Amino acid sequence: MASLEITASRPDPALLDLPWEEPLEEWPESMLATLPRGISRHVVRFVRVSGRVLALKEINRELAQREYDMLRILRKIGIPAVEPFAVVSGRVTPGGEPLDAVLITRHLQFSLPYRAVFSQVSSEETARRLLDALAVLLVRLHLEGFFWGDVSLSNTLFRRDAGAFAAYLVDVETGTLHESLTDGQRAYDLDIARTNIIGELMDLQAGELIDEESDPVEVGDQLVARYEELWSALTERESFSADERWRVSARIERLNELGFDVGELELTTDLDGTTVSIQPKVVDAGHHARRLMRLTGIDAQENQARRLLNDLDQYGAITDQQAEDEEFVAHEWQQEHYEPIVRAIPRTMRSKLQPPEFFHEVLEHKWFLSEKQGRDVPMKEAVQDYVENILPHRPDEKSLVTTETSALPIFEG
C-alpha cells in the first residue's frame, strides 16, 4: 500500500480504507452498493464512502487519468456528464502483483442505465424517448467540438425529464476534444451511434426486453434523423429578403423553444442589401432551465423546467398578474403553489423522484383524474390521491439498490 496514489480535487481520507490490494471483482459483497449497471468492457463496482455512492471502474492508469481529466473539462463547459471524483493508481496485490488503476466517479442520483428502463417498459416509444435524449446530447457534444468515438446507450445514463428523458455522458475513454468537428467526424460519430444502438436494441429483443416486432434498424435511423434535424435547426444559414427582418427574432425564438440560447448570431447582407443571411455562431443548451433557475432557484432538467415555467405562466394568468414583474410572480408561485406540492412528499418517499419530476407527475395526475371524473379536480385532492395511490409503487430512483435490473419496477410517466 506504500505505493498507492490517489489523485483528486478533494481527496477523501476514507478512500484509504477500501481494499485496493484486491481486484475489484473480488471485493466482498458486504461493502458494495448493488445498483443497476449498464454493459461495460471493464469491471465496475459501486461503493458507499462518507455517505456518498461512488462508481469504481478498473482501467489502465493512463486511460483512467485521461478520462478523469476529460470529464472535468466537459463538466466545466456545461456538458451533462458524470462527475469525476478520483483516480487511484499504484495498486499491488499482497504478493506484489501490479493491478490496474481505478477511475472513481460520483454515482448520478435518480439515473438509470437503458437496460433498467427497458426491464419493465418494453416499447418502441421508450426507445424513441431515449434516442431523442441521446441525439440532443450528441448534438451538444459536437457543438463543443467533442468527438465521442463510442456513442451507445451503454455509455449513457438517463434521468426522467417530465415525460421524456435527459441523457448524461458516462464513458469518454475514446473521446477527443477539438476546436470544432468536421462534417466527416460528425458523420463517423453518428454512424457509430447508429450501429451500436441497432446492436443494443437487437440484444434487448433477444432478451425479450423489447417488442419483437420493433425494427431496431428503423429506430437507429430515427436517431440519425433526429440528430440531423436538430443540428440543422441550430447551425444552418438562412436567407431572406431585407423586408423580412422579423425572421431574425423568429429564428431565435425557435431555438429557444428547442431549449437553446443564442449567444452569438452572424448576420450578413448581399451587396445591394436586398437579401439578409443569418447563422447562429454560438448556441448554448439549457434555455428553460436557466430561466427557471434565475426566477426561482429551482434546479431542473430542461423539459421539467419548461413544464414548471408553463405552470408559472398559467398561475400569472389565473391570478391576473400578467402585468406584474416576472420575478414577483415567480416568487409568489413558488411559495403558494410549487413548494406546498413538493412538501407533500412524505420524507420516507423523497428518494423516489426529484421534486421537479414529482411536481410534473402531480400535474399529469390532476389532468388524468379530471378527465376520468368529468370535473376539475382540485390540486390538493390530486396531490393526496397521487401520494396515496401512485407514489408508494414508484421505485427509489435516487439510489436504486437491487441485485437484478429485471426486478426494477420502472414506470412510464
Side-chain angles (χ1 to χ4, degrees):
M1 293 293 288
S3 62
L4 192 70
E5 179 181 337
I6 298 178
T7 302
S9 57
R10 294 183 181 177
D12 186 341
L15 289 176
L16 296 172
D17 298 329
L18 298 177
W20 299 114
E21 69 279 5
E22 299 178 19
L24 278 186
E25 62 183 357
E26 296 179 10
W27 283 23
E29 292 289 334
S30 59
M31 69 186 314
L32 301 179
T34 311
L35 302 178
R37 297 196 297 267
I39 297 174
S40 173
R41 64 176 67 90
H42 305 288
V43 177
V44 177
R45 295 290 183 267
F46 296 96
V47 297
R48 297 185 186 274
V49 177
S50 301
R52 63 174 73 89
V53 178
L54 301 176
L56 280 60
K57 180 169 73 171
E58 208 164 42
I59 190 174
N60 172 277
R61 184 189 184 286
E62 288 72 23
L63 289 178
Q65 187 63 52
R66 180 180 178 280
E67 189 165 2
Y68 174 83
D69 293 338
M70 184 64 72
L71 284 171
R72 293 189 68 186
I73 293 172
L74 292 175
R75 285 182 61 84
K76 283 181 180 178
I77 61 179
I79 294 297
V82 293
E83 180 182 351
F85 189 78
V87 172
V88 179
S89 56
R91 302 169 62 219
V92 293
T93 68
E97 293 294 323
L99 294 171
D100 274 339
V102 172
L103 171 67
I104 305 177
T105 57
R106 284 179 179 267
H107 170 62
L108 185 63
Q109 294 183 335
F110 297 101
S111 67
L112 296 167
Y114 80 101
R115 293 184 70 87
V117 177
F118 278 106
S119 65
Q120 293 294 324
V121 186
S122 54
S123 71
E124 191 168 320
E125 174 64 17
T126 302
R128 187 190 62 78
R129 292 182 183 186
L130 293 185
L131 294 187
D132 272 353
L134 186 56
V136 172
L137 175 60
L138 189 56
V139 165
R140 292 184 63 177
L141 289 168
H142 286 176
L143 287 171
E144 295 291 347
F146 182 80
F147 175 79
W148 194 341
D150 193 15
V151 190
S152 67
L153 293 171
S154 298
N155 289 335
T156 315
L157 286 173
F158 297 91
R159 275 178 168 174
R160 297 186 184 279
D161 187 11
F165 290 96
Y168 284 74
L169 185 61
V170 176
D171 193 312
V172 295
E173 282 180 46
T174 57
T176 53
L177 195 60
H178 307 263
E179 185 173 341
S180 63
L181 295 183
T182 66
D183 290 343
Q185 286 173 313
R186 291 193 303 105
Y188 184 52
D189 227 6
L190 194 56
D191 186 59
I192 291 173
R194 178 181 178 277
T195 301
N196 285 344
I197 287 165
I198 290 173
E200 288 168 325
L201 294 179
M202 287 180 173
D203 180 61
L204 289 176
Q205 279 187 325
E208 299 182 349
L209 289 176
I210 191 172
D211 189 345
E212 63 179 11
E213 301 202 356
S214 295
D215 185 352
V217 175
E218 181 179 340
V219 175
D221 289 340
Q222 289 174 5
L223 169 74
V224 176
R226 172 62 172 151
Y227 170 94
E228 291 178 342
E229 174 189 12
L230 187 55
W231 182 266
S232 176
L234 292 170
T235 63
E236 73 177 5
R237 179 176 293 277
E238 180 181 1
S239 298
F240 46 88
S241 62
D243 59 358
E244 294 181 299
R245 295 179 185 178
W246 57 268
R247 291 176 61 174
V248 176
S249 296
R251 179 71 179 274
I252 294 174
E253 289 175 6
R254 169 59 178 153
L255 294 179
N256 290 164
E257 290 174 2
L258 290 172
F260 290 82
D261 283 322
V262 181
E264 185 178 328
L265 187 71
E266 180 184 89
L267 189 150
T268 59
T269 62
D270 58 7
L271 291 176
D272 58 7
T274 59
T275 303
V276 178
S277 295
I278 58 172
Q279 181 176 29
K281 300 295 289 184
V282 178
V283 291
D284 193 10
H287 170 75
H288 299 95
R290 275 193 297 276
R291 180 183 168 217
L292 182 68
M293 175 66 78
R294 175 177 58 82
L295 291 173
T296 67
I298 297 172
D299 186 10
Q301 306 286 352
E302 184 65 12
N303 287 323
Q304 291 170 348
R306 190 195 309 265
R307 185 65 189 275
L308 267 62
L309 288 168
N310 285 341
D311 191 71
L312 167 58
D313 291 339
Q314 291 177 15
Y315 177 85
I318 291 172
T319 56
D320 195 24
Q321 298 186 79
Q322 296 98 321
E324 295 287 349
D325 287 342
E326 190 177 44
E327 290 79 3
F328 176 83
V329 179
H331 178 72
E332 183 179 305
W333 167 84
Q334 188 172 2
Q335 284 194 321
E336 302 295 328
H337 192 57
Y338 177 80
E339 290 182 353
I341 291 176
V342 170
R343 283 199 298 268
I345 309 175
R347 288 186 178 275
T348 56
M349 298 185 187
R350 290 181 182 174
S351 60
K352 290 179 176 289
L353 292 171
Q354 293 173 294
E357 187 68 17
F358 173 79
F359 185 85
H360 157 73
E361 294 207 355
V362 165
L363 294 182
E364 290 284 290
H365 191 62
K366 180 181 185 301
W367 177 86
F368 169 77
L369 289 178
S370 299
E371 284 285 301
K372 183 178 180 181
Q373 298 179 20
R375 65 185 179 95
D376 183 21
V377 174
M379 181 60 73
K380 186 175 181 180
E381 183 180 333
V383 171
Q384 182 177 351
D385 188 83
Y386 183 87
V387 169
E388 291 178 357
N389 299 311
I390 304 298
L391 192 58
H393 305 291
R394 283 286 191 186
D396 288 351
E397 293 187 359
K398 182 176 183 180
S399 188
L400 278 165
V401 179
T402 178
T403 55
E404 294 288 341
T405 55
S406 59
L408 300 179
I410 309 301
F411 295 81
E412 285 284 5

